[in-house]
Amino acid sequence: MSAAHKLLAAAVAALAIAAFAHHRPAAAPTGVQPQAVAAASAGDNVTATSPERTRSDHGGYAAVAGTRMHYRLDLQQSLALQPTAPDQAAARPFASHAVGTLRVTVLDRRDGELLVEHVSPDLRIEVVGDADGATMPWAKGLATAMAAGFTVRMDQDGRPRALRFPAGWSAEQRNWARALHATFAFELASADAWERDAVDAMGSHRFGYRRVPGAGDHRVERTRTVFTPHGVDDIAKARVHHAGSTTASFADGWLAAGSAREDLAWTMVDGSLRLQTAIEASLERQRVEVVAVAADWTGDWSPVSGQHERSLTATQQLQADWDRRLQGLDLPTIVQRLQALHAQGQGHGRDHMELVWALGKLVQREPALAARIAALVHGAALPESSAASLLSALGMAGHDLAQAALAQVFENGLVPAGLRQVAVESMFQVEHPSAALVASVQRNLQGRTQLAALDQSAMLALGAFAAAGARTAEGQSLALELLRLEAAARASGADGCWSEALGNTGDAALLPVARRLLASSDPNERQRALTIVRRMELPAGRELLIATVRSDGNADVRRHGVDLAGECQEGWASELLAERAAGDADVEVRRAAITALGTRRATDASARAALARLSGSERDPTLLALLQQVRQE
């Protein structure tokens, strides 16, 4: 089993159910799908007519005891782990499709509280993207839990108060249920709009609710407005993306139907992985009946919590996986295995990636190893290919000693130029650049009138440091330091590299520079202008990119803008890509937009919808072939 699949399996174990639940915000059924809920109530069917219901100001949970509702559920979810390092392969997205019947029974109402059970006796789950079968235990356990079910105590506005599980349930099954309860927490109110907070295995959420005018029923839309992943101190570095919503309609005193299309993505706390999830689901009530029920309020009730029973967050799950994988590994063993892989011509495969990741984690835990790695590189004790792998691991480790080792290799003129290049490129991975590391790179660039290849990489490193919040020793912006290199960059033909470094900073102070370049008659200058604003959080930067993509007379400029928009995971980027894929006059711009939509298809419902529309409207045969290809990948 590959490293990527192992990581994916670990993430699925911690997040898949929670993703189901929180991506299907309130529609009780929506989230119910993935988890099994409540053992079915005992009792014979009495009638198939709609039961009476108690008074409800908001048209929500007013069904009386004995009401049983049968729903048809259909839920598709994808989850992918994307390494943030550009030279590392991504895990193929994992996807699951759950279909079945959901049965919800109101057992009792007492003092404003409801006793409700849920069960899905025929849940069928198909898993895609897991050739090794690592997630099959998850799928089987999920179906088993759904068939067994659990019971929920909730108030008449939909707020869960406690959960009761069948005897013999494992901690993992109880965790699934806890994640599921968030779906049932489609909390209603009499206001036109309101907010609710929630916590699950992924992090803390805030949801906004609003009433939606409907024809003869009560509709509520729920949208995630805030998401903070567990373990994240700097929300900006997590680069959280969330989009989509869930809509539920209520009739006859309970949920009648629900539909959800939501995306969620963030970078994990160690900066090495970005997790992306998407969910598309529907729930439709098929019939309502009245049955004889026996209510039991006794037993062991667990408090309502979205968090795992053992407080295992997603990052902790991954950390536990690393603990297992690092057992028995030390620096000599890893070096030996790396050398063997390089000798076999496998220096860029998944086995190599796994070893480099493992070494990075090992150096994180044993910081003194950084100096030993630097000594191996300085002493030319290894082939350059193996030494390069060790330097990459130092960048992943990222602590001060690892940064010092990278700086030493970078500054040592006796080290082969290729390894010095690898050292500076490995600095791009450092999450918290130290003042010493920044100063080392600055010294290399001071007074330059020409920029060699190593200097250009150093310039890019300064841009990456600025994006991580680093500044000069005097407290100045590194973007200003990069601006001083404009003449040297142009004299060396490194204009593109210079604009790339500026763009990596995301510094809003560079907007006037971008506008200056955008006013040029040279299309290459206008492309550089777009590169400079590529990561600006400033709305004006985004507006500049959008306006240029829509109106620039040069197709190469528009295509470059489309490529940059494809790097952004926010909703506006998907809308722009869909627009240019359908309406740009240049076929190559449309091709670039379709390709960008295809890369986000697995985790972006709006991208999938745009590709489906294009498949029905595009007339160019080459683009039709491309659409068929990206929709099947």
Side-chain angles (χ1 to χ4, degrees):
M1 183 177 177
S2 69
H5 272 117
K6 287 181 179 178
L7 284 172
L8 190 56
V12 167
L15 300 177
I17 301 306
F20 280 142
H22 264 299
H23 284 341
R24 294 217 34 79
T30 301
V32 172
Q33 323 169 308
Q35 312 320 328
V37 244
S41 318
D44 299 326
N45 293 347
V46 178
T47 175
T49 61
S50 296
E52 296 180 3
R53 65 189 188 95
T54 62
R55 179 178 178 276
S56 171
D57 293 334
H58 48 57
Y61 304 100
V64 299
T67 304
R68 173 173 289 171
M69 292 147 284
H70 298 256
Y71 297 89
R72 176 68 176 174
L73 66 87
D74 188 312
L75 184 145
Q76 299 183 61
Q77 183 223 9
S78 66
L79 186 151
L81 290 171
Q82 173 69 54
T84 55
D87 60 341
Q88 293 171 357
R92 181 173 178 176
F94 160 86
S96 66
H97 187 188
V99 178
T101 302
L102 175 68
R103 196 166 64 215
V104 179
T105 306
V106 180
L107 300 178
D108 198 8
R109 302 182 70 97
R110 186 175 69 183
D111 300 327
E113 191 171 74
L114 292 82
L115 188 66
V116 184
E117 63 181 12
H118 311 77
V119 63
S120 182
D122 59 354
L123 185 68
R124 299 180 302 281
I125 303 174
E126 296 180 359
V127 177
V128 179
D130 181 23
D132 297 322
T135 54
M136 286 309 298
W138 163 79
K140 292 178 180 178
L142 178 57
T144 300
M146 285 292 287
F150 62 82
T151 309
V152 180
R153 285 171 53 185
M154 55 182 276
D155 68 19
Q156 59 188 3
D157 291 331
R159 296 181 182 87
R161 294 183 174 177
L163 306 174
R164 186 176 63 198
F165 308 112
W169 265 33
S170 67
E172 188 174 41
Q173 288 173 320
R174 292 192 295 271
N175 287 336
W176 284 341
R178 289 187 175 91
L180 174 64
H181 96 268
T183 298
F184 286 91
F186 204 88
E187 300 176 15
L188 302 177
S190 298
D192 291 332
W194 61 99
E195 290 186 330
R196 293 287 186 267
D197 293 333
V199 177
D200 65 9
M202 297 186 294
S204 302
H205 310 253
R206 173 162 294 174
F207 295 102
Y209 294 79
R210 71 178 186 91
R211 296 185 182 280
V212 180
D217 61 6
H218 177 81
R219 294 180 185 272
V220 176
E221 180 184 63
R222 171 176 159 172
T223 304
R224 180 184 285 101
T225 58
V226 177
F227 170 57
T228 303
H230 287 308
V232 170
D233 297 322
D234 188 340
I235 191 65
K237 291 180 180 177
R239 293 172 50 226
V240 171
H241 162 75
H242 50 80
S245 64
T246 292
T247 301
S249 62
F250 293 80
D252 297 321
W254 212 265
L255 184 80
S259 62
R261 294 179 67 174
E262 293 201 10
D263 304 317
L264 185 63
W266 74 96
T267 299
M268 298 236 173
V269 294
D270 63 359
S272 63
L273 290 171
R274 184 164 178 81
L275 189 143
Q276 299 174 310
T277 69
I279 191 167
E280 188 168 347
S282 64
L283 187 85
E284 183 177 359
R285 191 168 65 194
Q286 302 292 302
R287 60 192 176 94
V288 181
E289 60 189 1
V290 174
V291 298
V293 296
D296 180 9
W297 293 81
T298 63
D300 295 328
W301 289 93
S302 298
V304 172
S305 170
Q307 299 189 57
H308 276 46
E309 186 169 310
R310 297 169 184 169
S311 299
L312 289 178
T313 65
T315 301
Q316 289 170 320
Q317 284 276 8
L318 291 173
Q319 188 64 45
D321 183 64
W322 279 116
D323 289 340
R324 291 189 295 272
R325 291 161 59 194
L326 289 175
Q327 288 180 358
L329 286 179
D330 55 17
L331 180 59
T333 301
I334 293 176
V335 169
Q336 184 180 22
R337 293 183 184 179
L338 285 171
Q339 288 181 288
L341 286 174
H342 284 292
Q344 297 164 12
Q346 300 178 19
H348 299 285
R350 291 192 181 277
D351 289 340
H352 172 265
M353 177 183 70
E354 179 175 359
L355 278 175
V356 173
W357 278 1
L359 181 55
K361 291 293 183 182
L362 193 62
V363 176
Q364 280 184 347
R365 299 181 181 192
E366 301 179 34
L369 288 177
R372 291 176 58 188
I373 290 174
L376 288 173
V377 176
H378 288 303
L382 299 172
E384 283 194 26
S385 57
S386 298
S389 299
L390 301 188
L391 292 173
S392 181
L394 288 178
M396 293 179 185
H399 49 61
D400 286 354
L401 290 179
Q403 294 181 44
L406 288 173
Q408 290 168 12
V409 173
F410 169 60
E411 293 178 350
N412 188 347
L414 299 178
V415 171
L419 289 179
R420 295 179 67 199
Q421 184 90 7
V422 172
V424 72
E425 290 172 356
S426 297
M427 297 175 188
F428 298 172
Q429 303 176 73
V430 173
E431 187 174 359
H432 302 291
S434 66
L437 185 65
V438 173
S440 171
V441 176
Q442 277 187 275
R443 284 194 300 271
N444 179 80
L445 292 171
Q446 283 176 352
R448 299 283 185 182
T449 58
Q450 294 278 335
L451 300 179
L454 184 63
D455 302 322
Q456 293 176 34
S457 293
M459 185 167 57
L460 289 171
L462 281 186
F465 297 164
R471 303 180 76 83
T472 68
E474 297 76 25
Q476 291 185 332
S477 166
L478 288 175
L480 299 179
E481 189 78 7
L482 288 168
L483 281 177
R484 298 187 183 102
L485 295 170
E486 180 176 4
R490 292 190 182 279
S492 309
D495 314 55
C497 182
W498 172 72
S499 63
E500 187 81 18
L502 289 174
N504 286 341
T505 70
D507 195 325
L510 295 173
L511 188 60
V513 180
R515 286 176 172 154
R516 165 168 63 88
L517 298 181
L518 194 61
S520 172
S521 59
D522 183 352
N524 293 321
E525 288 287 87
R526 301 202 297 276
Q527 289 186 47
R528 292 172 193 128
L530 297 184
T531 299
I532 289 173
V533 302
R534 65 191 294 185
R535 293 182 180 172
M536 277 188 193
E537 297 293 336
L538 198 67
R542 179 183 65 202
E543 292 164 6
L544 183 148
L545 189 148
I546 293 173
T548 304
V549 170
R550 286 174 171 169
S551 63
D552 196 286
N554 185 280
D556 288 339
V557 176
R558 299 199 305 277
R559 184 168 63 249
H560 183 61
V562 163
D563 290 339
L564 295 179
E567 298 175 359
C568 178
Q569 298 299 317
E570 295 183 17
W572 68 265
S574 295
E575 293 174 7
L576 181 64
L577 291 172
E579 173 193 302
R580 302 329 299 164
D584 199 277
D586 186 85
V587 67
E588 294 306 320
V589 176
R590 300 207 304 278
R591 186 187 309 279
I594 290 170
T595 301
L597 287 170
T599 61
R600 62 211 293 139
R601 179 186 63 84
T603 55
D604 188 334
S606 63
R608 293 193 294 273
L611 290 169
R613 291 194 302 270
L614 289 165
S615 295
S617 62
E618 181 58 59
R619 295 294 177 261
D620 185 286
T622 63
L623 295 186
L624 282 173
L626 176 61
L627 282 164
Q628 183 178 9
Q629 175 186 340
V630 299
R631 295 186 70 194
Q632 291 176 349
E633 287 179 348

